[in-house]
Amino acid sequence: DGFPGGRRFGDLSVVECSMYVSELVYGYTERRGSRKEAVRYPCDYWRRDRFTRNFVSTGVFLHHPGMQDPDLRLDSLAHLILEAFLLIAPFDRSEVAAAAGKHRQPQMGFAAGDRFIAVFDQTYGSLRLTGRLLEEETLRRVLDEALEIARTGRLDDVAPLNPPSLAALQEWAELARGESQPLSFARGPADEPTGERIPIIAPGSVGWVITESNQEFLVEGVFYHPKDGLRYRGRRVGENLPENLVVSFPVAVVNPIPGVSRMAQYDLETGEVIPLEP
């Protein structure tokens, strides 16, 4: 969501955009001396089955048609590109991160399900640190450095690439050395409420509560409170609570998750929830 622009090097597209980032923790490793034990949630100490961190930031994603090859280890490639970026750009490891992902809906010429590699700011709201990857010289240096690391194995914490992944990285580095074309993405008019209809997250879908550490929230219903206005009724995702225990939040504090949340409209006159076309 929110594409300021980017560059295309042949089939390699590099785009800076706003990103919704969701981090999930399902357990931890407990170490006692030389002995390690993996613990999954829920456990004796925590009733929840996961912990989440959701935030909006900015980042740069790399897209190439060859990334759809299932033999490519995109997670390993993302980690490798991040390590190379940290060697080239003067940023702290805690400030930026990288991951493999996929487009959840068709947008700006990219198809739903297409895989990509993203390097993004870990600070909520972002300082646009990773925007430096849009600089042609920086991108070339980063991909060349990543290729050198992969070939020499000089970083111990970087796993070796399989042959298809190494060949893909070499192709991307060669493309980045060539001519580029600017990419721009025109936005259409934003959806506006019509009459007495208010945009909402559709029941059965999820959002995230900005007043609850951005925790995911499953919307089970929408209702109008005469004092508090429009509210969602539902439950926090990941909590092991009785099925009959639900909570409610004002609509204004539950944000939709781009590409995940299904949207609808609430008619203030009739109380009807009207689904929107996908």
Side-chain angles (χ1 to χ4, degrees):
D1 182 33
F3 289 73
R7 304 199 71 81
R8 175 173 286 143
F9 300 79
D11 287 334
L12 178 67
S13 297
V14 184
V15 181
E16 184 185 18
C17 62
S18 60
M19 294 182 178
Y20 172 85
V21 183
S22 181
E23 299 175 342
L24 305 177
V25 178
Y26 293 97
Y28 61 92
T29 300
E30 192 173 80
R31 181 169 184 172
R32 298 178 181 178
S34 60
R35 180 168 160 266
K36 294 181 180 180
E37 181 180 355
V39 180
R40 284 186 64 88
Y41 302 130
C43 62
D44 294 339
Y45 308 108
W46 307 102
R47 293 193 305 171
R48 297 172 58 179
D49 63 8
R50 76 185 95 168
F51 284 86
T52 63
R53 177 186 179 225
N54 303 288
F55 60 98
V56 174
S57 185
T58 67
V60 172
F61 73 79
L62 285 70
H63 177 277
H64 185 276
M67 290 182 181
Q68 311 322 307
D69 183 349
D71 290 332
L72 260 61
R73 297 174 181 169
L74 286 194
D75 288 330
S76 297
L77 285 162
H79 178 55
L80 181 58
I81 290 173
L82 174 64
E83 293 298 323
F85 181 66
L86 288 171
L87 290 172
I88 299 300
F91 301 131
D92 190 85
R93 186 175 298 276
S94 64
E95 296 176 318
V96 296
K102 63 181 179 180
H103 295 286
R104 295 185 177 271
Q105 60 186 11
Q107 53 184 340
M108 310 300 179
F110 300 102
D114 275 4
R115 300 200 298 166
F116 60 82
I117 289 173
V119 184
F120 56 91
D121 289 31
Q122 291 208 93
T123 306
Y124 182 90
S126 174
L127 298 174
R128 292 187 67 186
L129 303 178
T130 49
R132 283 199 57 183
L133 275 172
L134 277 189
E135 300 172 4
E136 294 185 51
E137 182 59 27
T138 299
L139 177 68
R140 290 171 183 141
R141 291 180 63 195
V142 167
L143 291 180
D144 283 343
E145 183 71 24
L147 188 58
E148 180 67 16
I149 294 170
R151 285 171 170 168
T152 61
R154 60 185 174 85
L155 292 184
D156 294 337
D157 61 341
V158 175
L161 296 178
N162 64 355
S165 300
L166 182 60
L169 180 59
Q170 181 173 349
E171 180 184 358
W172 304 341
E174 290 174 354
L175 287 171
R177 298 186 201 111
E179 296 294 326
S180 72
Q181 297 293 328
L183 289 173
S184 61
F185 304 93
R187 280 189 169 275
D191 294 331
E192 297 290 341
T194 57
E196 296 299 314
R197 295 180 179 179
I198 305 297
I200 59 168
I201 299 171
S205 190
V206 294
W208 52 288
V209 189
I210 61 177
T211 57
E212 297 278 320
S213 301
N214 298 337
Q215 186 174 356
E216 287 188 37
F217 181 74
L218 174 63
V219 175
E220 297 182 341
V222 189
F223 65 96
Y224 187 86
H225 190 281
K227 180 180 178 180
D228 300 329
L230 206 58
R231 297 180 70 91
Y232 291 122
R233 178 178 63 252
R235 62 189 71 244
R236 299 178 182 90
V237 174
E239 289 189 341
N240 294 318
L241 298 174
E243 292 185 2
N244 61 350
L245 181 61
V246 298
V247 295
S248 71
F249 291 101
V251 164
V253 304
V254 183
N255 285 352
I257 301 173
V260 175
S261 302
R262 290 182 292 101
M263 302 302 293
Q265 291 183 333
Y266 184 89
D267 193 308
L268 292 175
E269 293 184 353
T270 66
E272 180 185 8
V273 175
I274 303 165
L276 296 178
E277 293 295 328

